[in-house]
């Protein structure tokens, strides 16, 4: 029995097309639908629609289903469209007419909304936690290697002296920007949509503030139409936040792939983190970071997909929304795995000593040489021309690199200040 079944036969081909892979995806949402159903039943009891015994019976059966979910015996068989119809069926099978009452004053629309937002809320918190963990690892590496010089590049040309400390802490601070966005995304999804029903509320005297408190939402989405319009809005927000993290990790992974190559030779990883070639026995390939780069680029495309599917839909519910469930869940689950792998891998990085006397780094300190002349009384433009002429004539001799004392430079990394930024989130 479908939740919307009116006793008419359904074309099997159409049914398969409209259901899609909801059953598999809804296994991710089952615990949240159970939680929301419990809160809804308690609310119905509070306002007098269910008796206290009916509420107790429903809570007991929902607890049984939760136990099945935890021990792995819960499944959504092909007879069911989704997790919502499965749970209502089980309640009805166990409790008869009492089970049929659970759908009073709600729609499958707000069922999906509340389950998705509970899922997003919990997982954004987990993603933020993993991101903070990666920031801590990078700041630790920055502190450990802050004295080791690293050539800086612009346009992939040798430019100015940098350091490993500057490199590691740069990505740490970029990830803090991503944490700001994750925090904003959490505020968007942390608004209870339950009670909006099919998008226009209910004539029953429901208590939406009760379910908001019961489900642990910070507030509720007051306007029922706005709550329905949150479908798509939440997915766009969450996948956009994930795309921001992905962009940072993808760029970092690209640096790592470059720096591991023999042409740079700045870093290495243990053999167990690299892969070989089927015909070239010397190869130690950075496959893990290439896959991180590719996976992160794929996650960035999902945010755009969410926009394209939803950006011109009018108010009210439309079946198009079903199409955004799969990839929004995919984005959440994949960024968690990527962060786990990145944290594990980057902690094992081997920073190499770089021979800055190599001729390719001959001009690494030209800016310091210009600054020396400025400190001797020459104007910057005059000093620039003098060093420029030496470079053109092949007479330039590098001086010893100067200390960079200002806040946030290679010799004054402001690591504790960056850490405080992270801790304040």
């Amino acid at each position: 029995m479908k939740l919307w079944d009116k006793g008419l036969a359904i074309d099997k081909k159409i049914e398969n097309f409209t259901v899609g892979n909801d059953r598999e995806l809804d296994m991710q949402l089952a615990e949240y639908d159970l939680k929301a159903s419990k809160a809804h039943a308690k609310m119905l009891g509070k306002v007098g629609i269910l008796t206290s015994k009916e509420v107790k019976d429903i809570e007991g059966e929902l607890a049984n289903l939760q136990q099945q979910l935890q021990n792995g015996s819960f499944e959504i068989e092909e007879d069911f469209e989704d997790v919502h119809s499965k749970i209502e069926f089980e309640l009805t099978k166990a409790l008869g007419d009492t089970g049929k009452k659970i759908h009073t004053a709600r729609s499958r629309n707000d069922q999906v909304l509340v389950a998705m937002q509970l899922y997003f809320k919990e997982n954004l918190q987990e993603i933020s936690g993993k991101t903070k963990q990666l920031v801590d690892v990078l700041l630790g590496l920055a502190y450990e290697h802050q004295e080791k010089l690293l050539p800086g590049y612009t346009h992939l040309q040798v430019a100015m002296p940098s350091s490993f400390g500057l490199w590691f802490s740069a990505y740490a601070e970029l990830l803090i920007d991503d944490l700001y966005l994750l925090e904003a995304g959490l505020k968007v999804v942390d608004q209870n949509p339950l009670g909006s029903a099919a998008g226009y509320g209910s004539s029953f005297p429901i208590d939406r503030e009760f379910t908001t408190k019961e489900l642990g939402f910070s507030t509720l989405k007051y306007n029922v139409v706005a709550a329905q319009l949150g479908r798509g809005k939440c997915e766009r927000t969450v996948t956009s936040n994930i795309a921001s993290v992905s962009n940072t990790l993808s760029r970092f992974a690209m640096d790592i792939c470059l720096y591991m190559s023999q042409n740079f030779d700045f870093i290495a990883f243990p053999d167990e983190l690299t892969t070989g070639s089927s015909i070239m026995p010397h190869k130690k390939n950075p496959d893990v970071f290439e896959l991180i780069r590719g996976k992160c680029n794929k996650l960035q495309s999902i945010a755009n997909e969410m926009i394209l599917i939803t950006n011109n839909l009018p108010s009210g519910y439309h079946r198009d929304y079903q199409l955004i469930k799969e990839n929004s869940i995919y984005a959440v689950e994949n960024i968690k795995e990527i962060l786990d792998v990145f944290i594990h891998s980057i902690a094992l990085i081997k920073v190499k000593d770089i021979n800055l006397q190599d001729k390719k780094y001959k001009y690494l300190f030209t800016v310091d040489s210009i600054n020396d002349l400025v400190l001797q009384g020459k104007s910057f433009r005059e000093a620039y021309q003098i060093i420029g002429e030496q470079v053109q004539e092949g007479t330039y001799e590098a001086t010893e690199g100067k200390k960079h004392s200002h806040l946030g430079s290679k010799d004054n990394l402001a690591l504790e200040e960056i850490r405080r930024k992270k801790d304040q989130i």
Side-chain angles (χ1 to χ4, degrees), residues 149 151 265-266 352-361:
L149 283 181
D265 200 28
F266 297 159
K352 296 187 176 183
D353 291 321
I354 300 169
N355 178 17
L356 295 180
Q357 301 306 311
D358 189 304
K359 65 179 183 179
K360 64 175 170 283
Y361 303 128

Side-chain angles (χ1 to χ4, degrees), residues 124-397:
L124 281 178
Q125 291 169 328
E126 185 177 350
I127 292 165
S128 291
K130 292 178 186 294
T131 304
K132 287 181 179 181
Q133 187 179 349
L134 179 54
V135 170
D136 285 336
V137 172
L138 294 177
L139 290 177
L141 288 167
Y143 182 83
E144 180 182 355
H145 301 291
Q146 61 185 310
E147 300 296 333
K148 288 197 172 183
L149 283 181
L150 173 70
Y153 287 76
T154 63
H155 308 276
L156 280 180
Q157 308 292 306
V158 173
M160 288 178 64
S162 180
S163 71
F164 281 101
L166 202 59
W167 182 55
F168 287 124
S169 59
Y171 281 104
E173 195 164 9
L174 280 181
L175 286 167
I176 291 172
D177 291 340
D178 299 326
L179 283 168
Y180 293 146
L181 293 175
L182 290 169
E183 185 178 36
L186 185 58
K187 288 184 178 180
V188 171
V189 301
D190 195 13
Q191 304 176 86
N192 180 24
L194 189 59
S196 59
Y200 299 97
S202 172
S203 58
F204 289 105
I206 58 176
D207 187 340
R208 297 188 65 210
E209 291 178 324
F210 177 87
T211 55
T212 298
K213 184 176 180 181
E214 192 72 19
L215 290 169
F217 283 107
S218 295
T219 185
L220 58 83
K221 202 73 169 180
Y222 294 98
N223 184 295
V224 291
V225 175
Q228 188 57 237
L229 286 168
R231 186 87 184 267
K233 181 83 165 183
C234 289
E235 287 82 352
R236 289 195 302 272
T237 300
V238 169
T239 55
S240 177
N241 299 157
I242 289 171
S244 184
V245 179
S246 300
N247 178 267
T248 303
L249 297 182
S250 178
R251 295 178 70 183
F252 195 6
M254 182 66 213
D255 276 4
I256 291 169
C257 293
L258 279 177
Y259 291 178
M260 280 182 68
S261 73
Q262 293 90 336
N263 300 80
F264 287 82
D265 200 28
F266 297 159
I267 58 174
F269 285 88
D271 289 349
E272 59 266 26
L273 260 65
T274 63
T275 58
S277 162
S278 61
I279 63 171
M280 295 172 284
H282 66 283
K283 295 296 290 297
K284 293 182 180 180
N285 300 323
D287 283 23
V288 65
F289 293 103
E290 291 174 344
L291 284 171
I292 286 172
R293 183 178 61 198
K295 285 174 178 284
C296 283
N297 291 340
K298 184 174 182 178
L299 292 184
Q300 290 178 78
S301 73
I302 289 175
N304 194 48
E305 177 186 291
M306 297 296 112
I307 293 171
L308 291 174
I309 292 175
T310 64
N311 71 346
N312 63 348
L313 294 179
S315 59
Y317 176 77
H318 310 278
R319 197 60 180 263
D320 311 51
Y321 287 124
Q322 180 180 341
L323 303 178
I324 64 178
K325 181 192 291 184
E326 179 175 8
N327 275 348
S328 60
I329 291 175
Y330 175 92
V332 167
E333 298 303 322
N334 272 264
I335 195 62
K336 291 191 296 184
E337 181 185 27
I338 289 167
L339 283 164
D340 283 338
V341 171
F342 215 122
I343 291 165
H344 173 73
S345 301
I346 199 66
L348 300 174
I349 194 171
K350 298 178 181 179
V351 169
K352 296 187 176 183
D353 291 321
I354 300 169
N355 178 17
L356 295 180
Q357 301 306 311
D358 189 304
K359 65 179 183 179
K360 64 175 170 283
Y361 303 128
K362 181 177 180 179
Y363 301 122
L364 188 64
F365 297 101
T366 56
V367 175
D368 285 347
S369 298
I370 292 169
N371 292 349
D372 280 337
L373 293 178
V374 171
L375 291 174
Q376 294 169 20
K378 297 189 182 297
S379 69
F380 179 83
R381 188 53 54 205
E382 184 183 7
Y384 178 90
Q385 290 171 346
I386 290 170
I387 298 301
E389 287 174 2
Q390 292 177 5
V391 169
Q392 292 299 319
E393 293 168 359
T395 60
Y396 172 77
E397 294 293 334

